[in-house]
Amino acid sequence: MKLIGFLCNWCSYAGADMAGTSRIQQPGDLHIVRMPCTGRINPLLILKAFQEGADGVLVSGCHPGDCHYNDGNYYARRRLELLARMLPAFGIASERFQYTWVSASEGARWAQVVDDFTERVRSLQ
Ligand code: FES
């Protein structure tokens, strides 16, 4: 199974790193792409990931109000919510896509998000 994770550098990537350095066990299906901010994620990139064979795509960034660039994740939230609603029109089950917010200190939460998402997508196989 191939899962792609687009993570903002400042919060979620650091949170994932924290999960790793804390040696929290995680499934190995997620391939992480480090982005400067969720606001820089073009929804077409997510569709491209599905087109190239991804079984699921996860986007994670700073919590609302904590974006390193002030409001990048507010723009992202609007775009991602719209994309989530449009996915079934492209023949992609909406369960295969998730966006979430994980801070740099939430390593355990990151591991839980990855566990839950992996399990959810696996159940669709
Ligand atoms: Fe993390 Fe903008 S820097 S979402």
Side-chain angles (χ1 to χ4, degrees), residues 87-123:
L87 284 178
F90 296 115
I92 300 164
S94 52
E95 292 84 0
R96 294 185 182 275
F97 173 68
Q98 182 182 338
Y99 66 90
T100 188
W101 319 117
V102 173
S103 78
S105 62
E106 294 178 315
R109 185 173 128 64
W110 169 254
Q112 191 61 55
V113 165
V114 175
D115 269 356
D116 293 347
F117 185 64
T118 303
E119 198 46 52
R120 190 169 87 190
V121 175
R122 187 165 285 141
S123 73

Side-chain angles (χ1 to χ4, degrees), residues 14 17 19 30 34 37 40 50-52 63 67 72 84-85 90 104 114 116 125:
D17 196 37
L30 186 73
R34 190 179 189 174
C37 173
R40 290 297 305 272
F50 280 116
Q51 188 183 30
E52 298 281 328
H63 286 278
C67 176
R85 292 180 197 184
F90 296 115
V114 175
D116 293 347
Q125 305 291 29

Side-chain angles (χ1 to χ4, degrees), residues 13-68:
Y13 189 85
D17 196 37
M18 158 89 74
T21 53
S22 305
R23 296 176 183 269
I24 299 171
Q25 287 292 320
Q26 297 174 66
D29 305 285
L30 186 73
H31 302 270
I32 292 177
V33 181
R34 190 179 189 174
M35 305 295 286
C37 173
T38 54
R40 290 297 305 272
I41 300 171
N42 185 329
L44 292 177
L45 203 55
I46 295 164
L47 291 175
K48 175 94 172 151
F50 280 116
Q51 188 183 30
E52 298 281 328
D55 296 299
V57 177
L58 176 65
V59 173
S60 188
C62 308
H63 286 278
D66 289 344
C67 176
H68 196 73

